[in-house]
Amino acid sequence: MSEWFLFLPQVRLDVDDIVERARVAEAGGFDGIAFIDHLEAPGATHQSIWEAMTVATWVAARTERLRIGHLVLCDAFRHPGVLAKQAVTLSAASGGRFELGLGSGSWPREFERFGIETGDAAARVRRLDENLQLLQQYWGEGERAQTPRPAHRIPLVLGGTGKRMMELVRAHADWWNIPSHQLDRLPALMPKVGSARVSLQQMVGFVGRGVDRSAVTERSTRLFGHLGDGLVCGDAAELTAHFAGLSAQGVERFYVWFADFAAPRTISEFAETVINA
């Protein structure tokens, strides 16, 4: 059975709006919610963006069932010892609902702007590998073990499609997420994920009841057409068939990213007519 997460970049929204959308998603039947992790909004630096772990904690405190995570936290932003402590704390506070999504960084411009030393892309992936190993030490029983230890298992979500990242997925991940704009690579990459379960980030232009199809398609394409196959537009029946086809290919979780910035009505109707189908 598929799992459904609301993918909700915390951009252009007040914190209360984020909580409202999380609660609507929870009431409708979504399994979880995922945020992004940036110091500036990628491609829209004039827009405000909230800090990722704080938002996740706030939403966890105001929901009861939703799993909470990110696509994905940037490894370079936090010392692994601090990140390990944050993850254990949020996992305990939420009753085991926190999942740790982690990546090497996708927006180099913010590293330069805010003076974060990372090296090139290869160096960032090497650092991620080292820090993934350190996390296991901090959560383990050796000399570097932190207390308290995790009371709940903290699932690890990794994204990316490069050769080295796929090696890290096989070595460490519970979930591997393929980015929406690389959906065409799914069949070739599926055999390379090892024991990790597969998730997909999908931008959706949802044609709800009484909504003009052409208007939804035009606006969604204007804003997110650069995602290619990562954007799909359709009504409930069409989207149900679309996600069923992906599920048949082995995708077990969908991170649904709504082109209308997740209007509560859209979240609720999508849950009723697509998830429940």
Side-chain angles (χ1 to χ4, degrees):
M1 189 172 183
S2 299
E3 296 184 5
W4 301 84
F5 275 52
L6 173 63
F7 180 59
L8 188 66
Q10 61 276 19
V11 179
R12 298 174 37 147
L13 297 169
D14 291 335
V15 173
D16 287 346
D17 295 329
I18 295 170
V19 172
E20 177 190 18
R21 284 157 171 76
R23 286 176 166 169
V24 170
E26 183 171 63
F30 277 82
D31 298 291
I33 188 168
F35 304 105
I36 62 174
D37 187 28
H38 288 282
L39 303 178
E40 63 180 25
T45 56
H46 61 289
Q47 298 285 0
S48 61
I49 182 170
W50 303 106
E51 194 280 321
M53 286 295 280
T54 309
V55 164
T57 303
W58 193 251
V59 169
R62 281 151 182 78
T63 54
E64 298 179 356
R65 182 185 54 78
L66 282 183
R67 278 172 276 166
I68 313 292
H70 303 86
L71 285 183
V72 285
L73 293 175
C74 179
D75 173 61
F77 291 169
R78 300 165 188 84
H79 186 282
V82 175
L83 178 60
K85 183 68 70 175
Q86 289 177 318
V88 169
T89 302
L90 184 47
S91 178
S94 64
R97 291 187 285 134
F98 178 65
E99 299 186 355
L100 179 58
L102 199 57
S104 60
S106 61
W107 190 247
R109 171 176 168 171
E110 64 189 336
F111 300 146
E112 179 179 353
R113 179 181 178 189
F114 296 104
I116 299 172
E117 298 293 333
T118 63
D120 60 15
R124 295 199 299 271
V125 174
R126 286 194 299 270
R127 170 190 162 127
L128 176 60
D129 185 14
E130 294 168 358
N131 288 346
L132 287 169
Q133 296 178 53
L134 284 172
L135 286 174
Q136 299 308 317
Q137 294 177 40
Y138 297 140
W139 292 339
E141 299 181 356
E143 293 182 357
R144 288 180 167 172
Q146 298 180 347
T147 55
R149 295 192 177 98
H152 308 274
R153 193 172 189 283
I154 302 174
L156 180 64
V157 182
L158 296 180
T161 57
K163 179 180 178 181
R164 187 70 182 106
M165 281 301 302
M166 297 307 295
E167 292 174 356
L168 298 187
V169 168
R170 290 192 295 274
H172 300 285
D174 296 280
W175 288 93
W176 168 66
N177 185 72
I178 182 168
S180 59
H181 64 281
Q182 298 196 41
L183 181 57
D184 60 331
R185 299 186 63 194
L186 179 62
L189 292 172
M190 283 280 290
K192 301 181 180 181
V193 301
S195 63
R197 300 169 70 185
V198 178
S199 66
L200 171 71
Q201 178 191 53
Q202 179 74 76
M203 173 65 75
V204 170
F206 181 51
V207 182
R209 301 184 188 98
V211 176
D212 182 78
R213 172 184 289 270
S214 61
V216 170
T217 302
E218 187 280 326
R219 184 170 187 269
S220 300
T221 303
R222 173 166 44 85
L223 293 174
F224 301 107
H226 62 278
L227 295 176
D229 289 342
L231 168 67
V232 60
C233 297
D235 60 20
E238 291 164 332
L239 292 175
T240 298
H242 171 78
F243 285 109
L246 291 169
S247 180
Q249 295 181 55
V251 180
E252 297 185 63
R253 175 186 289 178
F254 300 108
Y255 290 92
V256 183
W257 183 8
F258 289 107
D260 67 353
F261 304 100
R265 174 182 172 179
T266 298
I267 298 170
S268 182
E269 186 176 339
F270 180 91
E272 175 194 347
T273 60
V274 179
I275 292 179
N276 292 334

